[in-house]
Amino acid sequence: MGRRDYEALVIGGGIVGCSVALYLKRHMDKVLILEGEASIIQRASFVNQARVHNGYHYPKSLLTALRSRVNLPRFVSEYPDCIDQSFEKYYAIASHFSDVNVKQFMAFCQRIEAPLEPAPAAIRNLFRSELVEGVFRVQEYAFDAARLREGLLARLRDGGVELRTNCQVTKVLSSASQELEVHYESKGEQNSVVAEYVFNCTYSQLNQILIKSGLPIIPLKQEFAEVALVEVPVTLRHIGVTVMCGPFFSTMPFPARGLHTLSHVRYTPHHSWQDITEHDCRDAAEHLKNAPRRSNYPHMVMDAQRYLPSLRDSRYVDSLWEIKTVLPKSEVDDSRPILFGRDHGLKNFTCILGGKIDNIYDILDELETWRQEGGLGQ
Amino acid sequence: MTTVCDCFVSVLAPVSNDSRIIEDFVAEVMAVLQENFANYELVLVDDGSNDDTVMKVTELLKRYQCIRLIRLSRKFGEEIALSAALDSAIGDFVVLMRPNWDPPQLIPEIVQKAREGTGILFGIRNNREGDGMIIRAGAWLFYLYCEKVLKINLPKNSTQFRVLSRQAVNAIMQIKVRHRYLRTLIAHIGFNTGNFIYRPINRSGRTQTRNLLKVVNLGINIIVNASRHPLRAVSWFGVIAGVLNLLYTGFAVYSYLFGEHVASGWTSLSLQNAAMFFFVFLILTVLSEYIGHILIESEDRPLYYVYEERNSSVLIADQERKNVARNSIEDEFIQPAPRKMVG
């Protein structure tokens, strides 16, 4: 047998990569994370609405909703310090252009057994009645991405997972001894490590790594997305609001910055492309760097204040920009299935894509199944 | 050189089988909007087109920013299509226009005028070209009736080309009636109205003569929708007819008791019958109109159904341009020139 530096190597230190590495470390001796940025939880794991889903968001995909219902308590119990429960969360159902009406939404919540109660009059009156059919109080939380980073760093350290930051993976290939060889660039130097298992958890960079490695790509839809960070007026400071279900907006506390996010189904995606063939693929990181950032905040707030007039007095602070990656098949029903591609082009090379934070548990379940089948360091 | 206006303008246009003109229309509107406004959107509502209008618009969405296409599930008519657009428009000022008839070049001027105080601006066409003598005479009568009898302020020869302030749009959105004639709804909500006179273009170049029957139907609908005057009028007719009948009964009894030539009188009997039936049918006609309206208003179902919504998705730099230096990419592509906010 030739050289083997690690039993498992995870490319990407987002919430998915870190969770996978922590799981693997429980069953293996040496696990390494290669992260392209200066620290973990920098990109899509940080730049998002910070919402821990509890099913309400997916009236069009019962399965996704049910999975969220199962996963939320797991996430809350695993990361209690990162959860912000200090605000009330309300879901409003729009009268026009909505794919779901009040009756359907109530029936849906009953089916997934998610707690739902009519919002108090004071909250109801914040909305314009001709555009909103009903408002409900729900149980949904936000997570503090900065705390999540600290927590995960500590757990990686305590668990003995090795982390190398500022490492750009240049290719993955099969070594002479049937192991996987990962080449990366760090501070201008070329390095390589050999591992038995390699996990590609790079979200929007998934296909770039595949292309550089000469492996078949995975069809993905990539969106150039903007989430506005705003200081909302006092009346909205301790609440989160989501208008369902169609081209509407959502405003949620963003604990990591002490502000609210304002995102809009119509205006958050600036433009998108599909990675269908190698020729269509764009380097998402390059695109994120180079694409012009002309904020859609005016559009977002103009539309949002039609429903929630007090938003007019919110103050724009900043925007978070990120490439959002989704599986093409989830476009129709909003579902957020995970992608778990085992032996993708190379034996023991696995590509993983999660759509939202609590998907990590679906991914860990997949790993567990794999292990019970006899893989992963058994 | 026009200054860039800091207000948010929404341009709403219903499209229906407009494949031939849609590209020119969108190009003109977008050029005007980019030139004059910091923030804008163009909302196209497809009212059940069965040609390739939707395909063409989908292509345009990749070329221009800030366009939205709302596809209705079937043809609902121009007024409903505009209602759908109003429900979704986000601008401070909303410009309604028909792609074939209304010149986009006027948008900055009329928005400015609406901003300066009127809030609502009606477009008035400067001619009734294409309308025959009968329609013109009918229109004259119609407006006279509306003005003098119904007392509704309907600008003469107004078209769908108009500007509404956000305040007016919000007021209209609260009106839930199903027979929607924006003209009468706007007259109903009040506010400050003004108008501008313009010469309609005819983008497609096709001559279009209006069908007399359709025009008359439109007139009746507008009147019935806006006023109960005809109903009140036939109420009076009914009362008069009833009183006449009563008098006639008295006369018949009197004749029976004191008359000498009772058998004769065929003439008066026929006259009376004819007159009464005239009134009865008149009353029934008007009643049926209103019952029809009540029926439609009492239907508790949505005004329209949206099949889908599509939005602009303009990829700034495409694959082939990757090697080009950054500066030239930004200059060359769709990204609007940097503009400063005024005000």
Side-chain angles (χ1 to χ4, degrees):
Chain A
M1 207 165 192
R3 137 192 177 217
R4 180 195 284 177
D5 305 316
Y6 294 91
E7 279 165 282
L9 188 154
V10 178
I11 311 170
I15 176 85
V16 169
C18 291
S19 303
V20 167
L22 282 168
Y23 171 88
L24 294 171
K25 186 66 184 69
R26 298 215 306 262
H27 307 284
M28 295 174 182
D29 262 353
K30 294 190 76 186
V31 177
L32 171 71
I33 297 177
L34 287 180
E35 164 60 46
E37 303 282 327
S39 179
I40 59 166
I41 318 289
Q42 295 290 328
R43 298 285 304 277
S45 298
F46 188 90
V47 181
N48 59 58
Q49 283 181 68
R51 187 201 300 270
V52 190
H53 282 282
N54 196 9
Y56 301 101
H57 218 63
Y58 301 102
K60 291 196 282 183
S61 173
L62 202 65
L63 184 66
T64 305
L66 283 168
R67 288 308 304 171
S68 296
R69 293 278 301 135
V70 173
N71 288 335
L72 175 116
R74 285 172 82 174
F75 188 85
V76 172
S77 67
E78 192 175 350
Y79 300 98
D81 300 342
C82 310
I83 295 289
D84 186 348
Q85 303 194 16
S86 66
F87 66 98
E88 295 284 357
K89 189 66 216 288
Y90 297 96
Y91 269 60
I93 311 297
S95 321
H96 305 292
F97 294 83
S98 173
D99 290 334
V100 58
N101 61 30
V102 161
K103 253 193 205 163
Q104 291 165 335
F105 189 66
M106 288 168 76
F108 161 74
C109 289
Q110 208 168 16
R111 278 182 78 182
I112 62 166
E113 294 177 356
L116 187 76
E117 56 178 275
I123 297 292
R124 183 77 186 73
N125 293 339
L126 291 173
F127 292 86
R128 285 257 306 282
S129 59
E130 63 267 28
L131 288 179
V132 168
E133 209 190 329
V135 185
F136 299 97
R137 177 153 63 194
V138 303
Q139 257 177 38
E140 201 182 63
Y141 309 124
F143 65 88
D144 185 329
R147 284 192 182 182
L148 189 65
R149 178 189 303 148
E150 296 313 310
L152 276 167
L153 276 173
R155 290 175 60 178
L156 292 176
R157 201 172 46 235
D158 299 347
V161 175
E162 205 178 312
L163 170 69
R164 292 186 201 165
T165 54
N166 294 315
C167 295
Q168 313 295 333
V169 170
T170 49
K171 68 179 156 191
V172 180
L173 47 95
S174 185
S175 75
S177 56
Q178 302 300 308
E179 305 272 311
L180 291 165
E181 205 174 295
V182 177
H183 292 254
Y184 67 94
E185 193 185 305
S186 178
K187 296 173 193 130
E189 280 178 37
Q190 303 292 332
N191 299 295
S192 76
V193 277
V194 174
E196 187 182 2
Y197 295 95
V198 172
F199 294 85
N200 181 2
C201 306
T202 52
Y203 196 59
S204 62
Q205 290 297 110
L206 270 173
N207 280 333
Q208 284 308 308
I209 288 182
L210 295 178
I211 290 173
K212 288 182 208 159
S213 309
L215 298 172
I217 64 155
I218 298 164
L220 293 174
K221 186 185 181 201
Q222 311 263 36
E223 279 176 7
F224 183 61
E226 176 194 7
V227 173
L229 287 178
V230 295
E231 200 181 287
V232 293
V234 183
T235 43
L236 302 175
R237 203 146 294 170
H238 299 288
I239 68 173
V241 170
T242 298
V243 180
M244 294 286 283
C245 165
F248 308 116
F249 71 97
S250 183
T251 177
M252 294 262 295
F254 190 71
R257 296 275 299 266
L259 295 163
H260 270 59
T261 56
L262 177 61
S263 57
H264 197 294
V265 171
R266 192 188 288 141
Y267 303 115
T268 285
H270 278 236
H271 49 257
S272 64
W273 71 91
Q274 305 246 12
D275 288 356
I276 301 283
T277 65
E278 208 166 300
H279 181 73
D280 307 317
C281 285
R282 283 156 184 275
D283 186 335
E286 281 296 305
H287 189 84
L288 183 64
K289 228 185 291 166
N290 296 332
R293 296 182 176 186
R294 184 173 189 258
S295 177
N296 269 349
Y297 173 73
H299 287 73
M300 295 187 200
V301 77
M302 283 300 282
D303 189 43
Q305 72 187 26
R306 298 193 311 141
Y307 299 86
L308 200 55
S310 45
L311 272 177
R312 187 179 323 228
D313 303 322
S314 41
R315 190 175 66 85
Y316 173 77
V317 180
D318 196 4
S319 285
L320 301 171
W321 303 84
E322 190 48 89
I323 303 291
K324 179 179 171 183
T325 305
V326 292
L327 293 173
K329 68 175 170 187
S330 61
E331 282 228 82
V332 183
D333 59 4
D334 288 351
S335 68
R336 288 286 174 269
I338 57 163
L339 171 89
F340 195 93
R342 232 199 266 179
D343 298 333
H344 186 87
L346 296 171
K347 189 159 165 42
N348 291 339
F349 178 57
T350 307
C351 291
I352 300 178
L353 174 76
K356 53 196 176 62
I357 204 98
D358 56 272
N359 275 152
I360 51 175
Y361 298 108
D362 298 323
I363 292 164
L364 296 185
D365 290 349
E366 284 292 317
L367 290 172
E368 182 64 25
T369 314
W370 189 0
R371 204 178 65 83
Q372 278 166 12
E373 286 167 9
L376 298 180
Q378 266 286 30
Chain B
M1 181 68 199
T2 45
T3 45
V4 171
C5 169
D6 65 338
C7 69
F8 198 123
V9 172
S10 297
V11 175
L12 318 182
V15 294
S16 182
N17 296 335
D18 284 322
S19 157
R20 282 176 48 184
I21 57 167
I22 192 70
E23 282 163 337
D24 289 348
F25 171 72
V26 169
E28 272 180 46
V29 171
M30 293 318 280
V32 168
L33 291 177
Q34 278 178 20
E35 174 88 355
N36 293 282
F37 300 99
N39 291 297
Y40 51 80
E41 62 169 355
L42 169 62
V43 182
L44 299 170
V45 182
D46 178 59
D47 189 19
S49 290
N50 46 25
D51 63 355
D52 58 347
T53 303
V54 169
M55 242 173 63
K56 286 205 172 154
V57 174
T58 307
E59 283 305 308
L60 293 170
L61 292 177
K62 295 181 196 155
R63 219 183 309 156
Y64 298 97
Q65 312 256 27
C66 305
I67 302 184
R68 289 198 276 138
L69 170 68
I70 296 169
R71 289 180 69 188
L72 300 183
S73 59
R74 63 168 169 86
K75 192 168 182 60
F76 283 87
E78 196 174 86
E79 295 280 351
I80 301 280
L82 283 172
S83 283
L86 280 178
D87 285 339
S88 158
I90 66 175
D92 295 313
F93 286 88
V94 171
V95 179
L96 308 175
M97 63 193 302
R98 295 161 310 163
N100 192 44
W101 298 106
D102 303 327
Q105 288 71 21
L106 288 180
I107 293 172
E109 185 188 328
I110 57 180
V111 168
Q112 185 55 29
K113 206 170 161 192
R115 262 161 68 90
E116 277 163 9
T118 55
I120 298 175
L121 266 189
F122 282 97
I124 307 281
R125 54 180 163 150
N126 66 355
N127 61 62
R128 294 190 72 95
E129 273 167 23
D131 287 349
M133 278 311 292
I134 299 173
I135 289 184
R136 286 184 198 209
W140 183 80
L141 266 176
F142 172 79
Y143 285 115
L144 190 74
Y145 178 61
C146 286
E147 191 187 332
K148 299 289 180 211
V149 182
L150 305 184
K151 310 276 187 229
I152 53 176
N153 172 28
L154 221 49
K156 217 177 253 185
N157 296 338
S158 68
T159 64
Q160 298 283 24
F161 196 18
R162 59 191 68 145
V163 188
L164 303 177
S165 64
R166 170 53 46 191
Q167 198 184 14
V169 173
N170 288 351
I172 288 170
M173 277 196 295
Q174 290 175 30
I175 304 176
K176 295 287 176 216
V177 294
R178 318 189 64 81
H179 269 116
R180 300 181 78 90
Y181 295 99
L182 275 173
R183 262 177 274 194
T184 57
L185 295 188
I186 291 168
H188 170 77
I189 62 169
F191 295 104
N192 269 330
T193 56
N195 58 49
F196 62 96
I197 297 167
Y198 74 104
R199 185 184 174 80
I201 52 172
N202 186 350
R203 204 179 284 277
S204 68
R206 266 179 282 193
T207 51
Q208 299 192 355
T209 47
R210 297 211 287 176
N211 180 328
L212 179 64
L213 199 65
K214 275 190 184 160
V215 178
V216 171
N217 274 333
L218 177 69
I220 291 175
N221 274 334
I222 290 178
I223 290 169
V224 170
N225 193 37
S227 166
R228 286 181 312 162
H229 178 268
L231 196 62
R232 178 58 51 81
V234 296
S235 299
W236 283 114
F237 276 125
V239 169
I240 293 165
V243 169
L244 287 176
N245 258 322
L246 205 63
L247 289 176
Y248 184 77
T249 318
F251 172 69
V253 172
Y254 175 84
S255 300
Y256 176 73
L257 292 177
F258 308 107
E260 287 165 17
H261 312 290
V262 181
S264 68
W266 178 86
T267 313
S268 61
L269 195 63
S270 317
L271 278 176
Q272 182 264 344
N273 264 344
M276 286 306 139
F277 273 110
F278 166 73
F279 285 130
V280 168
F281 281 119
L282 190 67
I283 292 165
L284 283 178
T285 309
V286 176
L287 280 182
S288 67
E289 274 301 315
Y290 278 89
I291 289 171
H293 269 252
I294 293 167
L295 193 69
I296 288 173
E297 291 304 332
S298 64
E299 282 169 349
D300 186 21
R301 57 186 177 193
L303 210 55
Y304 53 84
Y305 297 92
V306 175
Y307 173 65
E308 65 171 352
E309 187 182 322
R310 296 183 188 178
N311 304 310
S312 287
S313 172
V314 181
L315 266 177
I316 304 304
D318 58 25
Q319 203 75 20
E320 285 68 39
R321 315 244 174 179
K322 258 187 174 170
N323 300 329
V324 182
R326 257 197 82 191
N327 288 340
S328 64
I329 290 180
E330 287 187 352
D331 291 341
E332 246 176 275
F333 281 90
I334 311 289
Q335 188 205 11
R339 47 175 68 95
K340 64 175 198 292
M341 306 278 260
V342 177

